[in-house]
Amino acid sequence: MMALGLFFLATTAGRRTIATTTSTCISSSHKVIRPTTAFLSSSSLSHHRKDTSKQHMSSSSSSSKQAPKKKKKSRGKDLRREFIGMAKAVDRGQFAITYNPGGKDGISFEAKSGLPARNKPFVVLGIESSCDDTGAAVVRSDGVILGESLASQHDIHEEWGGVVPGLAKTAHEEKIDLVIEEALQNANLTMSEVDAIGVTVGPGLEICLRVGCERAKDLALRYKKPFVGVHHLEAHILMARLPFGNLERVEVQPATEEVHEAVHAMSFPFLALLVSGGHCQLMKCLGIGRYSIIGGTIDDSLGEAFDKTARLLGLPVGGGGGPAVEALAKEGDPKSIQLPIPLQRRKDCDFSYAGLKTAVRMAADKLRLERGLESIDDLCRQDKANIAASFQNVAIRHIEQRLNRAMDMIENEQEEEGGEKIQSLAVVGGVAANLELRSRLEKVCDDRSTSWNMFVPPPRLCTDQGSMSAWAAIERIMVGSSDQADGQEVYARFPFSA
Ligand code: KG4
Ligand code: ZN
C-alpha cells in the first residue's frame, strides 16, 4: 500500500530538463539545455552517440560540483532552429543507433541471456530511471502487478522549474536500492525468486538511465537471471496490452507446451498515439519491436506544451505541469480565448506545439495589458483558468485532427492493400492520463463511420513507473527475446528501426 501511495503521488513526471553546465545537447526525449556555448552540430548529434554520452557525463560531474542557476533561459534561439525536428521527431533514417530486438519477420527473436520457463507464469523485476522518477515493480507474466515502488523527484526539481539532470542522477542513486527492495517486499518475493530482470535503457537522460541499467546488470549477473534492455517508448505502448482487471486470475493454462496462455488488453496490430513529455507520435504497432511511425512532432511534444503553459501561468511544474493545467482548465471557458490550431496547411500526421505555446503567451500578455498588470502571474484565477482551458482545447483539437487523418490513411491503405485490419487505438504516455483528452479521443473513435476501439491504460500507469519496464520485458520474453546484461549500453536517443 505504501508503494501504491508513492505511486499515485508520482503520476505527474515533469519533463523539462534544465542545464547545469556550459554546452548544449539534445536527447531524443528530453531537452537538456546548458546555456553558454554553441549547440552541437547536427551531424554530431545524429552520428556520434559516444560524443553526446560524454557530454552527458560531463554534465553530471560538473553539475554535482556547481549549483545550477535557477530557471535560466536558454540563449541562441536561432541556433535552435537548426535542430527543429531533431530532438523528438520521427526517425527518418538520421540516427545511427536504433532499437531492433529482432523478429522483424515476427518470429526470429534471439534469447541472448536465456529465458525463464514460460509454460507457467513467471515474474519479472522491472526498473525505470529514464528521467525523474525512480521506479521498480514486480509483475507476473499474466499481467498481475505483484509489487511496486516509486520514488518521485517532484520536490527536488520543483524549485528549478524543470528536471535538473545532475540532481536527478544523484536522487536515482540514492533511491534505487530502496525502491527495488520495496517492490520486492510488496510482492513478497526475494531477488532469487524473480525469474528475469527488465530495465529501461533508452531513450532518456543518459546519466539517469545509467543508474538503473547498471543496477539491473549487477543483479542479473549476480543472480544469473535473463536480462531485457527495455525501450521506454515500447514500454509505454505495451502498457496498452497489459491485461488489467484480472488481479484474481491466478490459474493460467499452458497455451502450448512451451508458452503459457497470454491474455492481452489489446492485440496487434493497432494504432498508437504516444503523448508524453518527450514524445508525440502516431505509429502503427505491428508486433514486438515492429513499429511504423506515421507522424511525429516537428518541435515540442504535447507534454512539453502542457508543462510550458503551466510555467507561464505560475502553476506547480515539479512533477510535470500537465495535471495542474488540466485541473485549472476545469474552471475555465475553453472558447474564451482564440488560439490557432497548429499545422492547418500541412496535410500529414505530424504535430507542432511551438506556435501554440507562443500564441498562448501572447494571449496571456494581451490580457495582462488589458488588466493593467505587471506580470502574467498577477492575472486572476478566472483569467488563468480561461487560458488553461483554451490551450487544452486547441492542443487536443490538433491531436483530434491528426488522429482522424491517420485513421483515414490506415482505412484507405487497408481498402487498397488488404492485410490485417487495424481498427483499434491505444493512447499511451504521460499525457494519456488527461481525462479531457481521453474522452475527446473516445468520441473521435465513436464518430468514425467504421467505429474504432480505444484503449488507454489507467492514469497511474500512463506516466513513468517500474511496471512498464517489467511488462515490456515480459512481452519480449514471451516472444523469445532477451539481451546480454554484460556490456549493455544506455541510449539517450534510441529511435525504433524503420
Ligand atoms: O510519460 P511521462 O511520464 O514521461 C515521459 O516519458 O516523458 O510523461 C510526462 C508528461 C509531462 O509533460 C506531464 O506534464 C504530462 O506527461 N502529464 C499530463 C498529465 N499527467 C502527466 N499532461 C496533461 N494532463 C495530465 N493529466
Ligand atoms: Zn515516459
Side-chain angles (χ1 to χ4, degrees):
M1 284 313 289
M2 161 137 176
L4 216 61
L6 281 169
F7 207 100
F8 269 102
L9 271 178
T11 53
T12 57
R15 289 302 174 269
R16 185 169 85 140
T17 47
I18 301 256
T20 53
T21 57
T22 51
S23 59
T24 300
C25 67
I26 302 169
S27 83
S28 72
S29 62
H30 308 290
K31 210 167 283 172
V32 182
I33 304 160
R34 289 174 247 139
T36 49
T37 350
F39 282 66
L40 293 171
S41 76
S42 59
S43 61
S44 69
L45 271 172
S46 50
H47 299 303
H48 299 298
R49 194 198 53 76
K50 278 197 178 139
D51 291 351
T52 56
S53 84
K54 278 186 206 141
Q55 302 276 344
H56 280 284
M57 293 298 285
S58 66
S59 118
S60 81
S61 51
S62 51
S63 60
S64 53
K65 285 179 208 143
Q66 217 177 294
K69 289 183 184 131
K70 265 193 185 181
K71 298 190 179 174
K72 184 111 187 171
K73 286 208 177 99
S74 71
R75 288 179 212 153
K77 271 201 175 139
D78 40 344
L79 280 170
R80 182 179 287 173
R81 278 182 219 286
E82 205 184 312
F83 297 97
I84 284 181
M86 289 293 293
K88 297 164 235 59
V90 183
D91 170 31
R92 290 184 171 118
Q94 70 270 47
F95 299 103
I97 289 162
T98 54
Y99 171 65
N100 185 1
K104 285 288 154 202
D105 53 2
I107 41 173
S108 56
F109 291 96
E110 208 186 322
K112 293 180 186 150
S113 56
L115 297 169
R118 295 173 298 159
N119 56 356
K120 58 180 187 348
F122 53 89
V123 292
V124 172
L125 168 69
I127 299 171
E128 150 64 31
S129 69
S130 65
C131 192
D132 59 348
D133 290 307
T134 322
V138 181
V139 178
R140 207 168 55 198
S141 56
D142 56 354
V144 179
I145 299 172
L146 300 173
E148 321 171 287
S149 177
L150 195 110
S152 154
Q153 299 178 7
H154 293 184
D155 296 345
I156 297 169
H157 303 294
E158 174 69 50
E159 63 175 310
W160 309 107
V163 179
V164 184
L167 298 181
K169 174 192 170 238
T170 308
H172 284 307
E173 284 169 342
E174 281 170 8
K175 289 286 157 66
I176 190 93
D177 289 331
L178 220 74
V179 159
I180 293 173
E181 214 167 283
E182 196 171 65
L184 286 166
Q185 252 171 31
N186 291 339
N188 213 8
L189 290 172
T190 62
M191 197 52 230
S192 35
E193 289 170 305
V194 162
D195 297 306
I197 296 173
V199 63
T200 315
V201 297
L205 290 172
E206 203 158 319
I207 55 172
C208 296
L209 287 163
R210 209 176 288 287
V211 177
C213 184
E214 289 306 314
R215 189 59 85 258
K217 280 161 68 176
D218 284 353
L219 290 172
L221 294 170
R222 189 159 11 124
Y223 289 90
K224 298 190 172 39
K225 304 288 179 189
F227 171 94
V228 178
V230 168
H231 189 289
H232 186 67
L233 306 189
E234 178 168 65
H236 271 304
I237 293 166
L238 294 178
M239 287 311 273
R241 282 167 50 82
L242 183 71
F244 301 104
N246 69 339
L247 291 177
E248 302 305 318
R249 211 167 66 90
V250 283
E251 275 183 41
V252 177
Q253 301 302 317
T256 66
E257 275 189 8
E258 219 175 77
V259 184
H260 72 71
E261 175 200 30
V263 176
H264 292 115
M266 284 187 95
S267 313
F268 289 117
F270 56 87
L271 172 66
L273 169 71
L274 169 66
V275 276
S276 68
H279 291 80
C280 192
Q281 291 184 335
L282 274 164
M283 64 200 104
K284 284 195 269 185
C285 305
L286 309 172
I288 302 300
R290 296 168 63 209
Y291 305 98
S292 160
I293 312 268
I294 298 175
T297 182
I298 58 170
D299 41 55
D300 291 352
S301 71
L302 179 56
E304 210 170 353
F306 268 96
D307 296 346
K308 285 175 177 171
T309 302
R311 263 194 294 281
L312 177 76
L313 299 178
L315 303 175
V317 290
V325 173
E326 182 183 15
L328 187 59
K330 289 200 181 96
E331 299 170 29
D333 173 2
K335 300 271 166 59
S336 56
I337 294 163
Q338 290 299 311
L339 295 167
I341 304 167
L343 298 187
Q344 287 307 281
R345 272 183 275 172
R346 264 180 72 153
K347 304 292 176 215
D348 57 22
C349 298
D350 285 341
F351 300 90
S352 166
Y353 280 105
L356 179 58
K357 173 196 70 184
T358 309
V360 171
R361 178 172 289 281
M362 283 167 66
D365 211 46
K366 188 162 164 264
L367 265 181
R368 175 192 70 79
L369 280 171
E370 280 169 20
R371 308 278 190 256
L373 298 169
E374 285 248 315
S375 89
I376 291 170
D377 213 23
D378 298 332
L379 286 171
C380 68
R381 189 171 175 86
Q382 190 57 55
D383 280 344
K384 287 186 178 181
N386 287 343
I387 295 168
S390 304
F391 155 75
Q392 183 174 260
N393 178 34
V394 172
I396 297 176
R397 185 80 197 102
H398 183 33
I399 298 272
E400 288 169 334
Q401 287 187 345
R402 304 329 255 190
L403 182 60
N404 263 316
R405 181 164 296 134
M407 288 170 160
D408 286 346
M409 214 178 82
I410 287 173
E411 285 172 1
N412 292 340
E413 260 172 29
Q414 280 168 175
E415 232 164 71
E416 282 169 24
E417 297 161 18
E420 202 170 347
K421 266 201 159 181
I422 295 183
Q423 208 75 53
S424 350
L425 169 73
V427 187
V428 295
V431 191
N434 184 294
L435 297 181
E436 176 71 9
L437 176 75
R438 292 158 87 102
S439 67
R440 295 250 306 251
L441 297 188
E442 226 160 82
K443 190 159 182 316
V444 167
C445 289
D446 290 346
D447 288 352
R448 306 264 330 159
S449 54
T450 42
S451 100
W452 283 56
N453 301 315
M454 181 174 119
F455 192 83
V456 197
R460 73 184 188 89
L461 296 178
C462 289
T463 44
D464 296 351
Q465 27 68 39
S467 298
M468 58 195 280
S469 300
W471 178 247
I474 288 169
E475 290 260 45
R476 290 268 307 273
I477 290 168
M478 286 298 273
V479 295
S481 168
S482 67
D483 301 306
Q484 227 139 25
D486 203 11
Q488 174 70 56
E489 256 302 329
V490 295
Y491 310 107
R493 311 169 128 253
F494 200 23
F496 295 130
S497 55

